[in-house]
Amino acid sequence: MKVPFIDLKLHHQPLREQLDAAIAEVVDSSAFAGGPFVAKFEQEFAAFCGAPFAIGVGNGTDALWLSLLALGIGPGDEVITVPSTFMATAEAISFCGARPVFADIEDRTYTLDPAQLEKAITPRTKAIIPVHLFGQMADMKAILAIASRHGIPVVEDACQAHGARQDGHAAGTLGATGCFSFYPGKNLGAFGEAGAVVTSSPELKQRLEVLRDHGQSRKYFHSDIGWNGRMDGIQAAVLRVKLPHLKAANDRRRAHARLYHELLADASATTPLETAHNHHVYHVYAVRIGERDHILESLTRAGIGCGIHYPVPIHLQPAYRSLGYGLGSFPVAERCAAGFLSLPMFPELTTDQIRMVVDELKTCLAGHQPHACVA
Ligand SMILES: Cc1ncc(COP(=O)(O)O)c(C=O)c1O
């Protein structure tokens, strides 16, 4: 039995008729770019998050970038984020002309360490982007307390955290804006590229609506230099079919995570920690192990689909060499990157498949025991 890393076909099978009908409705009405399907999805996604507004955009990168632009971030500004994230978080900062400044992550939650954040703030800091990595929210209480003391807005990168909560607050609803990606493999995924920003600010909502549509305040009247950052009607229609099933799908991910924790309790692997205040939605189930690359190779040979999120922290990427960071700049992020191994995680995973993954992982760990250490 092979175990895939993710199986989107299986996920879509039971919804196939509804999805086909939803796409046909968009085709029949020719509402392809923006339009009524996007407007309906925006209302429904805002309600799901418990936010007053959602603004549909082209993808998660647009959501982050347009949020920063709407907040007035530009050349000369610094924006603090973590090096343990997908490249898009930093790219969004760079594409405003601002400078990404990194702060290290916490060793057990893999999210922004508030103590490191505090140290990274300078008079040029104009925004903070905590990343809710793998589906668990960063320590928003501590981050917001620091941010408000310094009068700096917070943009949540919730691209991996649809439906995650902290102390009852949904991911994306605590910052000035919350940014989501609906890339197909996400907990809520489109049939292509899509994203959204949620906010409680009517001013930011209006700014974002203008910026995502070529800076138009009305047709062919451009108050700003914006961008083509609209959401497609077909993606909105697909997302409207899938959204009502998101909570159940997240609950299944959580049940799978519980079983992984239980079965891996006696293995020399560090399993994810869900903190007391958090409701983790396990977009990724990443363990930390020694000899990671060898074990990944063995698991792949055994037919277990695994991933690494992410092998190189952003401050060590060649693209960001000019920022002047080096090996040792962010020891926690670097240690995590060397040990992270993402195991199969998707709602339709079966108990048997999880047992097989764990058996195989334990066999591999035992085989590499002489050098193995918990990363
Ligand atoms: C943490 C994080 N931020 C931003 C993005 C960018 O989203 P998109 O790929 O939709 O542009 C992603 C998507 O992979 C992500 O995981």
Side-chain angles (χ1 to χ4, degrees):
M1 179 168 68
K2 286 189 187 254
V3 185
F5 183 61
I6 180 174
D7 191 338
L8 289 179
K9 218 165 147 182
L10 203 57
H11 187 57
H12 293 136
Q13 232 164 36
L15 299 174
R16 187 56 196 264
E17 271 180 38
Q18 269 178 279
L19 288 162
D20 287 349
I23 292 169
E25 207 185 335
V26 179
V27 174
D28 289 341
S29 65
S30 300
F32 293 117
F37 297 97
V38 173
K40 280 186 193 148
F41 173 69
E42 288 172 337
Q43 275 170 17
E44 290 160 5
F45 190 64
F48 174 83
C49 294
F53 310 112
I55 301 95
V57 293
N59 50 58
T61 314
D62 277 356
L64 289 161
W65 178 54
L66 295 175
S67 287
L68 294 175
L69 286 183
L71 286 165
I73 310 298
D77 296 337
E78 292 177 356
V79 177
I80 299 175
T81 191
V82 285
S84 261
T85 181
F86 180 56
M87 181 69 174
T89 319
E91 279 173 329
I93 300 168
S94 299
F95 267 74
C96 295
R99 178 186 175 87
V101 171
F102 299 113
D104 213 344
I105 54 169
E106 291 176 335
D107 185 60
R108 287 301 284 118
T109 61
Y110 315 139
T111 55
L112 179 59
D113 181 341
Q116 300 301 320
L117 163 65
E118 185 100 59
K119 285 190 208 158
I121 292 175
T122 75
R124 289 179 300 281
T125 308
K126 292 292 153 39
I128 298 163
I129 311 185
V131 179
H132 303 327
L133 197 74
F134 300 157
Q136 172 158 254
M137 290 173 69
D139 182 352
M140 291 302 289
K141 197 170 170 192
I143 292 166
L144 288 170
I146 294 167
S148 81
R149 210 173 329 116
H150 292 269
I152 302 168
V154 172
V155 169
E156 291 175 69
D157 184 336
C159 287
Q160 300 189 3
H162 319 67
R165 293 194 302 275
Q166 190 168 87
D167 291 325
H169 300 284
T173 62
L174 289 170
T177 69
C179 302
F180 291 86
S181 163
F182 304 119
Y183 186 75
K186 297 292 197 248
N187 289 28
L188 179 64
F191 281 5
E193 305 284 346
V197 182
V198 300
T199 184
S200 59
S201 156
E203 294 78 30
L204 284 175
K205 172 196 184 265
Q206 203 217 343
R207 288 284 301 146
L208 284 158
E209 284 174 345
V210 168
L211 288 170
R212 73 163 170 192
D213 196 16
H214 297 292
Q216 292 183 105
S217 39
R218 60 194 164 96
K219 200 169 169 86
Y220 301 136
F221 287 85
H222 305 267
S223 55
D224 290 84
I225 298 171
W227 190 247
N228 179 354
R230 296 179 298 248
M231 179 186 269
D232 286 351
I234 285 182
Q235 303 309 340
V238 165
L239 290 166
R240 291 189 68 214
V241 172
K242 293 179 69 175
L243 181 59
H245 303 278
L246 175 57
K247 188 187 171 302
N250 280 345
D251 288 345
R252 285 201 290 274
R253 287 175 183 270
R254 288 175 56 75
H256 299 335
R258 277 195 298 275
L259 184 56
Y260 269 133
H261 292 341
E262 204 181 289
L263 298 174
L264 286 166
D266 60 349
S268 50
T270 304
T271 52
L273 175 76
E274 178 172 346
T275 64
H277 298 278
N278 269 305
H279 178 87
H280 197 317
V281 291
Y282 294 97
H283 172 57
V284 168
Y285 187 92
V287 294
R288 285 165 67 191
I289 52 173
E291 302 282 315
R292 189 266 319 278
D293 292 343
H294 294 294
I295 288 169
L296 172 61
E297 233 178 78
S298 309
L299 286 172
T300 308
R301 264 201 309 274
I304 311 286
C306 293
I308 302 175
H309 299 89
Y310 298 91
V312 181
I314 307 297
H315 69 286
L316 297 178
Q317 294 285 354
Y320 277 123
R321 200 171 284 138
S322 64
L323 292 179
Y325 296 110
L327 201 62
S329 296
F330 303 103
V332 183
E334 290 166 21
R335 210 164 50 238
C336 287
F340 274 149
L341 178 74
S342 310
L343 302 181
M345 174 54 84
F346 52 93
E348 296 73 22
L349 202 58
T350 65
T351 304
D352 282 350
Q353 286 176 315
I354 293 173
R355 288 185 190 283
M356 185 186 158
V357 173
V358 172
D359 286 349
E360 215 44 73
L361 176 59
K362 284 182 173 172
T363 307
C364 294
L365 285 168
H368 290 284
Q369 207 61 25
H371 310 286
C373 62
V374 177

